[in-house]
Every structure is written in structure tokens, then in C-alpha cells.
Amino acid sequence: MGDPELHSDEKILLTTQNVFVKSIPFEAVLTTKRIILIDRKKNLIPPKDILLATIRDFEGGENAIRDQVITLSLITSTGETRQ
């Protein structure tokens, strides 16, 4: 699997490996419009998009084993906020 499809007005800003979401490893691609999570290891999970416009808040920290953690609060399509 190559680079993700981008919209005509979108650019890749940063790409990083081993971003874990609920214990699942992804490659994270930060663009000017969204965060794209790609399952490069097993290719079982379709890519997931997090639109930057839906991020309401974020908080950095560490988990119990001192791994760096970012918690995002997102606004859903129903107007609710979830982490």
C-alpha cells in the first residue's frame, strides 16, 4: 500500500510509525486537513480519517508504563464529544 489519497488542496506534513489506538498499531499521516491512520502491519483495518476540524481538545501525558499519550476529544456527527 502506497501513500494515502489526498484531496487536491491537501499536503502531507508528517508521517510516523507505531501510533497505537486501543492497542492497535497504525502509521499516522498528518496532513493539512486530517490525520489518517493506516494499518500497514496487517492490512486488516481500512484507513481511518480524523478531520482536524472535528478535534475539540487534546491533552498530552503518559500512561502507566510511561509511554507518551495524546488524548483527542472529537466532535461526532451527532454533535457529541468523545475521546
Side-chain angles (χ1 to χ4, degrees), residues 18-78:
N18 297 319
V19 172
F20 288 83
V21 178
K22 297 185 180 179
S23 301
I24 301 170
F26 289 94
E27 175 181 325
V29 179
L30 174 64
T31 75
T32 52
K33 295 195 173 274
R34 58 194 165 137
I35 300 169
I36 307 166
L37 300 172
I38 304 169
D39 174 15
R40 296 254 194 228
K41 295 202 187 257
K42 297 182 181 177
N43 287 325
L44 297 175
I45 302 170
K48 300 194 179 292
D49 290 354
I50 301 170
L51 296 175
L52 298 181
T54 65
I55 298 175
R56 180 173 208 173
D57 194 19
F58 64 93
E59 184 176 331
E62 294 180 341
N63 64 12
I65 59 172
R66 302 189 63 105
D67 289 331
Q68 297 293 310
V69 175
I70 297 174
T71 302
L72 300 177
S73 296
L74 306 175
I75 300 170
T76 66
S77 57
T78 60

